[in-house]
Amino acid sequence: MAEAPSLALRCTELHRYLGEGDGRVHVLKGVSFEARRGQVYAIVGPSGCGKSTLLYLLGLLDQPDGGSIEINGHTMSNSDDLARTAARGAHIGFVFQFHFLMLEFTALENVMMPMRKLAKLAPADMEARAHQLLESVGLGEKTHRLGTQLSGGEQQRVAVARALANEPSIILADEPTGNLDVKNSGMVFDLLTRLAKDHGQAVILVTHNPEIAQRCDVIRPMRDGLFV
Amino acid sequence: MSPNFHIAYRFLTAKKRAMLMSLSCTVLGVGLFILTQATTSGFEEFFIKTILGTDGAIRIEDKFQDTLRVMSASAGTDFEVSQRDGVKYIEGVEEPKALIKELKNFSNVIAAAPVLRGSVQIRSSFKNETAQIFGIEIDEQLRVSDLGKQVIGGSGALARFRENEAGAIVGRVLADRLQLEVGNSIQVVIGSELTRLRVTTIFETGVQDIDKVRLYVHMSQARSILKKPTGVSFVQVSVFDRDRAPQTAAHIQWVLHHHAVAWQVREKTWLETFYALKLSSAITVSIFTLIAGLAMFNTLAMIVLEKTKDIAILRSMGYERSDITRIFLWQAVIVLLVGAVVGCLVGAGTTYAVSHLPLHLTGIFKTDTFQVYWSPWHYLAAVTTAAIMVMIASLFPARRAARFEPGDIVRGTAQ
């Protein structure tokens, strides 16, 4: 019997409130979730149901008001900012809807950015890996173009390459194809899933696109702050 | 290149106009600071050189009253001078040769010269003027002053004085008032006594108060005119280290029991005026560096606002809050370093240009050009002032950037 892929992420009974005073909203109402390496998860649901809030909590960009988050077996929900920042750099890659490339930098520099912070590789190795990642997303010819000189689809592919730069165990993608046309959506999704599978990474993506969601290994629909 | 510096450099160069604004304010602040300090210090330095070259670094006068001698000294004379602290002095230096011999034992003393001074009336063919006659030993006086440079006509003019026992070196303003030229004769009147002298030389220090009243004569002639066969009014001393003159004067006073005054005490009023001028110009010019700080604050605050998404992505990639602070502080450092280097060059260039500007001044000194003083301390003070202003102004936006929660930025609720 084949061994189950190892657990990359687990959250238990997550609660999150947003806003203050009368406008305070209970966005997540005790969400539990697990993600294993090599699997692609889709979190779907209507706007405002808490998908993105959950994703930011899982990515340690935000802190929960209750519950726990484990990344590769380490409880991170109560850790300080430095530990969460270090965990983000080492274990998590992000792809955002609006790609968030740093436009003053070339594609190559954008991909090298997380590697330079982690500083695990020599500069020449970082550059070689960034070249290899950009090749794998089909941008080998455009490594020295600035973010402003790339199309939306190309920028999102650079963002995918950047998310993979430090070989994280978890890729979190918030509507990664939400801003792209059909052709580019399919290309970016294929890239994400192929590279994640190849490298045994857990991919968790939030999407409104049912076609994209159908192609994932696991679909988790959400409504009113809970998985349904 | 560290990643933080690399990011800072790119952020900054992407905002060229704002960066150039901050940079020009820094350059202007540093450059003007250097220029104003160079000119105010230049005039101060020139004044100090003038007074050192005229009245020397230390003046020794009035012996402390010795209990046993008071009785003999005060028996037939009125030489006693009461001091406000209760100390009494015997006016003048009774034994200048012995005193000058003793002065050679002080390591900071270069030379010493005796001077006999007294008030007289000078009468020319045209009018009378009150004057101060200074009896000097010319060779000794030349070792403690710049009289050799101050005489009009150089060594030839001095030679004429040396050769003529009745010669006089007359201040330029006094000579003009009496309409005197070299070769004219004057009458020195004291009481009913009248002595005829010949103007052999004219000198000019540029110090109006000296040039309008002073005339130098040979010591023997002064003794005859002032009826002082022994002793002198004071001994003028030149020193190796002018800044140590107060300590040397105090040492002399303690060892030789004569009242010794250093130039810093003697010229205190003018020196304090120069200090106040220097301070006030430094404060005024510091406003430019304050503007540089404000411009830097503005630039960084703008970059922080425009780069919130970049801050979020950097934080999501593992960049710490301290990295974000450093990225923004590096931008300030880059502007500061470039601004300081260019500002120093601009300061040096304008100082050089100003030093060649014609400016005719007489009064407390005489000059035909702007006086400047080159000191590395001016550059250090300018850069330090700019650094304090710019770095304090940068700290606020840098810390604000570091406080952003990446989740809030991505969600679009960052404040």
Side-chain angles (χ1 to χ4, degrees):
Chain A
M1 197 170 111
E3 202 176 315
S6 65
L7 201 62
L9 180 150
R10 173 192 282 151
C11 71
T12 313
E13 281 294 306
L14 280 187
H15 287 267
R16 181 72 172 113
Y17 296 84
L18 290 177
E20 285 176 13
D22 292 342
R24 189 170 162 87
V25 180
H26 196 177
V27 180
L28 295 180
K29 301 168 180 172
V31 175
S32 298
F33 176 77
E34 283 184 0
R36 292 183 181 277
R37 289 168 182 270
Q39 298 280 298
V40 179
Y41 299 81
I43 300 174
V44 296
S47 291
C49 71
K51 308 182 299 289
S52 294
T53 303
L54 174 63
L55 200 75
Y56 302 149
L57 286 177
L58 298 179
L60 309 176
L61 291 175
D62 197 2
Q63 279 191 292
D65 295 307
S68 68
I69 300 165
E70 282 176 38
I71 305 284
N72 294 323
H74 298 285
T75 304
M76 302 303 302
S77 40
N78 296 322
S79 52
D80 62 16
D81 187 68
L82 267 180
R84 287 187 292 125
T85 305
R88 278 200 300 270
H91 304 298
I92 302 169
F94 288 92
V95 181
F96 298 102
Q97 182 178 359
F98 294 102
H99 41 78
F100 279 8
L101 281 195
M102 295 173 72
L103 299 177
E104 293 84 6
F105 295 84
T106 63
L108 191 76
E109 287 168 334
N110 265 286
V111 177
M112 285 175 71
M113 204 74 80
M115 291 189 266
R116 295 189 71 182
K117 175 58 193 167
L118 199 62
K120 260 185 171 175
L121 301 174
D125 295 338
M126 287 182 201
E127 196 170 329
R129 176 163 172 72
H131 269 292
Q132 179 207 327
L133 283 166
L134 286 168
E135 284 283 351
S136 65
V137 298
L139 292 172
E141 302 295 311
K142 297 183 176 178
T143 54
H144 290 290
R145 288 211 184 164
L146 290 173
T148 48
Q149 295 165 336
L150 298 169
S151 69
E154 288 170 339
Q155 287 189 23
Q156 197 61 303
R157 280 146 64 193
V158 175
V160 170
R162 186 178 63 187
L164 296 164
N166 283 341
E167 297 187 77
S169 51
I170 303 154
I171 304 284
L172 300 174
D174 186 10
E175 300 271 11
T177 61
N179 208 32
L180 302 177
D181 57 27
V182 176
K183 185 184 161 199
N184 274 308
S185 292
M187 188 189 289
V188 167
F189 178 77
D190 288 343
L191 268 173
L192 254 179
T193 51
R194 177 170 58 82
L195 293 170
K197 295 245 178 206
D198 288 352
H199 296 94
Q201 288 154 327
V203 178
I204 304 159
L205 58 91
V206 162
T207 182
H208 277 111
N209 186 332
E211 285 175 23
I212 295 283
Q214 287 303 322
R215 292 169 64 187
C216 295
D217 298 317
V218 180
I219 304 174
R220 299 295 306 269
M222 271 187 88
R223 185 167 298 154
D224 293 334
L226 284 168
F227 282 122
V228 289
Chain B
M1 194 190 292
S2 83
N4 293 344
F5 180 81
H6 185 216
I7 295 166
Y9 179 74
R10 287 291 175 83
F11 276 4
L12 193 64
T13 48
K15 301 292 302 173
K16 283 193 179 67
R17 197 173 293 176
M19 183 199 67
L20 284 175
M21 180 70 187
S22 309
L23 191 61
S24 3
C25 287
T26 311
V27 168
L28 201 64
V30 171
L32 275 176
F33 193 102
I34 290 166
L35 176 65
T36 54
Q37 290 306 294
T39 49
T40 49
S41 300
F43 284 112
E44 182 187 30
E45 184 63 19
F46 193 69
F47 169 75
I48 291 169
K49 278 186 181 161
T50 302
I51 56 120
L52 286 180
T54 306
D55 286 337
I58 296 172
R59 183 174 280 187
I60 303 169
E61 51 196 347
D62 303 347
K63 189 177 182 183
F64 289 159
Q65 187 184 38
D66 184 278
T67 313
L68 289 172
R69 283 198 181 179
V70 167
M71 296 175 73
S72 58
S74 58
T77 64
D78 290 321
F79 284 168
E80 286 183 27
V81 180
S82 292
Q83 298 296 299
R84 60 175 174 223
D85 57 0
V87 177
K88 286 187 174 180
Y89 295 93
I90 298 168
E91 194 177 301
V93 178
E94 287 179 318
E95 295 177 38
K97 279 188 180 166
L99 187 86
I100 289 168
K101 193 180 170 193
E102 289 297 325
L103 284 171
K104 286 178 183 163
N105 296 324
F106 290 82
S107 60
N108 195 30
V109 171
I110 300 172
V115 178
L116 181 61
R117 179 183 54 190
S119 293
V120 294
Q121 282 285 316
I122 306 290
R123 188 179 294 166
S124 71
S125 312
F126 299 94
K127 61 190 285 200
N128 294 349
E129 285 285 343
T130 303
Q132 289 263 312
I133 194 165
F134 277 58
I136 56 170
E137 302 290 355
I138 183 66
D139 292 323
E140 291 174 47
Q141 188 66 20
L142 289 175
R143 283 198 287 271
V144 298
S145 71
D146 289 335
L147 185 60
K149 293 176 191 163
Q150 290 162 350
V151 294
I152 298 164
S155 56
L158 276 178
R160 282 198 301 275
F161 175 71
R162 272 200 185 91
E163 289 159 8
N164 192 338
E165 190 54 33
I169 305 174
V170 183
R172 174 66 176 264
V173 179
L174 181 63
D176 287 347
R177 283 181 177 181
L178 294 168
Q179 298 182 39
L180 294 173
E181 287 179 4
V182 171
N184 291 160
S185 68
I186 50 173
Q187 290 176 337
V188 177
V189 184
I190 184 162
S192 58
E193 298 285 332
L194 192 143
T195 310
R196 187 176 295 276
L197 298 175
R198 186 162 299 279
V199 179
T200 54
T201 316
I202 290 172
F203 76 94
E204 184 172 27
T205 62
V207 184
Q208 190 83 358
D209 286 346
I210 292 173
D211 294 345
K212 72 180 180 189
V213 295
R214 192 174 293 186
L215 79 155
Y216 293 102
V217 298
H218 292 285
M219 181 63 87
S220 54
Q221 192 66 251
R223 288 195 187 288
S224 164
I225 294 168
L226 298 171
K227 304 278 183 267
K228 282 271 294 180
T230 60
V232 292
S233 307
F234 60 86
V235 170
Q236 187 166 319
V237 179
S238 59
V239 295
F240 291 104
D241 182 357
R242 71 183 199 192
D243 295 328
R244 280 179 49 224
Q247 291 90 322
T248 307
H251 193 196
I252 289 170
Q253 186 163 299
W254 187 70
V255 174
L256 301 180
H257 300 282
H258 278 74
H259 185 47
V261 184
W263 63 274
Q264 290 95 332
V265 178
R266 200 176 65 221
E267 307 295 341
K268 197 176 173 193
T269 311
W270 277 113
L271 292 175
E272 281 179 351
T273 307
F274 278 114
Y275 178 73
L277 269 175
K278 214 159 60 166
L279 195 65
S280 96
S281 66
I283 290 168
T284 310
V285 170
S286 292
I287 289 169
F288 282 97
T289 45
L290 181 68
I291 293 169
L294 290 176
M296 197 66 235
F297 175 85
N298 189 43
T299 303
L300 285 187
M302 197 157 50
I303 293 176
V304 168
L305 281 179
E306 287 182 9
K307 296 293 176 191
T308 50
K309 283 186 178 178
D310 289 3
I311 293 167
I313 198 69
L314 286 168
R315 296 279 285 128
S316 77
M317 288 189 294
Y319 283 75
E320 296 162 12
R321 288 187 199 279
S322 58
D323 291 316
I324 304 300
T325 304
R326 282 191 198 113
I327 285 168
F328 284 92
L329 288 182
W330 266 125
Q331 294 177 58
V333 169
I334 293 167
V335 169
L336 182 64
L337 286 178
V338 176
V341 170
V342 178
C344 285
L345 291 175
V346 167
T350 47
T351 302
Y352 179 78
V354 162
S355 71
H356 286 78
L357 283 181
L359 177 77
H360 301 290
L361 274 183
T362 52
I364 57 167
F365 45 68
K366 181 181 186 297
T367 177
D368 294 323
T369 55
F370 248 90
Q371 292 300 315
V372 298
Y373 181 60
W374 298 89
S375 166
W377 295 106
H378 298 157
Y379 294 76
L380 189 68
V383 172
T384 307
T385 312
I388 290 168
M389 301 280 192
V390 169
M391 293 318 289
I392 287 176
S394 311
L395 210 55
F396 296 101
R399 291 185 67 173
R400 180 165 187 251
R403 275 201 302 269
F404 280 141
E405 287 295 341
D408 291 343
I409 297 172
V410 178
R411 215 174 15 241
T413 57
Q415 295 296 310

